[in-house]
C-alpha cells in the first residue's frame, strides 16, 4: 500500500490557509475524526464526514484562526472537561481513521506537523502520538510532549500494558515556539525529527510492533486551559 494524506488540502504554502473557512476548508480531514473535551457523559466524537469542507464542523474547541487560517484546538480547565475511561487528561485531538490502523513493519508510516502552542497551563501538552490499535491495547506506542520550558520529550511504552519511559528529544527556545516534527514508525523502528533535522531513533522495548494509528492535536497533561495551532499536518503510508 502506498499513499500520502496531506491535511493541507491544496498542497500549497501555509499562507494559502483561508481564515474564513472551517478547518475542513483548509485541511483534508477526510481521513480523520475528532475527539473534543466536552460531551454528555463521554467525549464528543465528530466523524470525518462532518469535518470536511469550508462550511464543515467548527465550535469553541475546534476552529480556524482569524489571523492566519491555522487549525485551532482548545481544551478547558481539567475540572470542566470530559475524559475517556482510560485517561484523566483533556484533549481536542484528531484520530487517524483511513487507514484505521497500519503495520509498523511497513516501509513508510510518518506523521508530520507544523505546530505552535499558543496557550500553556504550565504543564506538558502531547502534540502528536502513535497509538496501539484499540483491539490490542488502550495504550499508546509513543507520545511527543512539549513543556512550558520548550523541552520536547518522547514517552514510549515499555510493553503493551506497561507504563512509559521518557527520553529527551530536543529543547526549543520556548514552550510557545513554532516548530515542525516528524514521527516515524516504519520498518519496525521508531524515530522523531524536529525542524527538519536528522531523525533520532528510540527503542520500543517489548512492544513488538503492534498495529497502530496516528493522533495529533492538543492532549493536555496539565490542569489549566490550553490552545494549540497547526499550520500543516501530513500523514504518509
Amino acid at each position: 500500500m502506498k499513499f500520502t494524506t496531506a491535511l493541507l488540502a491544496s498542497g500549497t504554502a501555509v499562507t494559502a490557509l483561508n481564515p474564513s473557512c472551517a478547518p475542513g476548508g483548509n485541511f483534508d480531514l477526510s481521513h480523520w475524526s475528532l475527539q473534543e473535551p466536552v460531551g454528555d457523559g463521554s467525549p464528543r466524537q465528530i466523524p470525518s464526514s462532518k469535518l470536511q469542507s469550508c462550511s464543515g464542523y467548527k465550535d469553541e474547541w475546534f476552529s480556524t484562526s482569524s489571523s492566519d487560517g491555522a487549525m485551532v484546538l482548545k481544551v478547558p480547565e481539567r475540572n470542566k472537561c470530559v475524559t475517556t475511561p482510560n485517561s484523566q487528561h483533556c484533549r481536542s485531538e484528531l484520530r487517524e481513521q483511513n487507514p484505521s490502523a497500519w503495520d509498523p513493519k511497513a516501509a513508510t508510516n510518518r506523521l508530520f506537523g507544523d505546530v505552535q502552542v499558543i496557550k500553556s497551563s504550565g504543564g506538558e501538552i502531547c502534540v502528536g502520538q502513535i497509538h496501539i490499535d484499540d483491539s490490542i491495547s488502550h495504550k499508546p506506542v509513543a507520545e511527543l510532549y512539549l513543556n512550558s520550558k520548550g523541552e520536547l520529550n518522547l514517552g514510549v511504552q515499555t510493553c503493551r500494558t506497561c507504563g512509559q519511559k521518557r527520553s529527551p528529544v530536543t529543547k526549543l527556545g520556548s514552550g510557545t515556539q513554532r516548530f515542525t516534527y516528524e514521527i516515524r514508525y516504519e520498518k519496525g523502528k521508531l524515530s522523531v525529527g524536529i525542524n527538519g533535522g536528522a531523525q533520532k531513533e528510540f527503542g520500543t522495548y517489548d512492544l513488538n510492533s503492534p498495529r497502530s494509528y496516528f493522533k495529533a492535536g492538543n492532549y493536555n497533561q496539565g490542569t489549566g486551559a490550553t490552545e494549540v495551532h497547526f499550520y500543516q499536518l501530513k500523514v504518509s503510508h
Side-chain angles (χ1 to χ4, degrees), residues 6-70:
L7 289 191
L8 186 57
S10 63
T12 55
V14 175
T15 52
L17 297 174
N18 183 353
S20 299
C21 279
N26 290 314
F27 297 84
D28 178 5
L29 300 180
S30 62
H31 300 273
W32 299 80
S33 63
L34 173 69
Q35 180 179 310
E36 295 195 311
V38 294
D40 185 11
S42 61
R44 182 183 298 154
Q45 306 283 342
I46 310 301
S48 171
S49 59
K50 292 186 177 181
L51 297 176
Q52 299 172 46
S53 85
C54 184
S55 59
Y57 182 86
K58 63 179 181 179
D59 67 0
E60 180 180 357
W61 314 110
F62 180 72
S63 62
T64 298
S65 169
S66 60
S67 62
D68 57 19

Side-chain angles (χ1 to χ4, degrees), residues 90-110:
C90 306
R91 74 181 86 201
S92 287
E93 193 174 39
L94 292 165
R95 192 260 197 226
E96 190 178 15
Q97 291 288 358
N98 186 16
S100 60
W102 35 261
D103 183 0
K105 296 178 183 177
T108 304
N109 298 304
R110 301 180 182 182

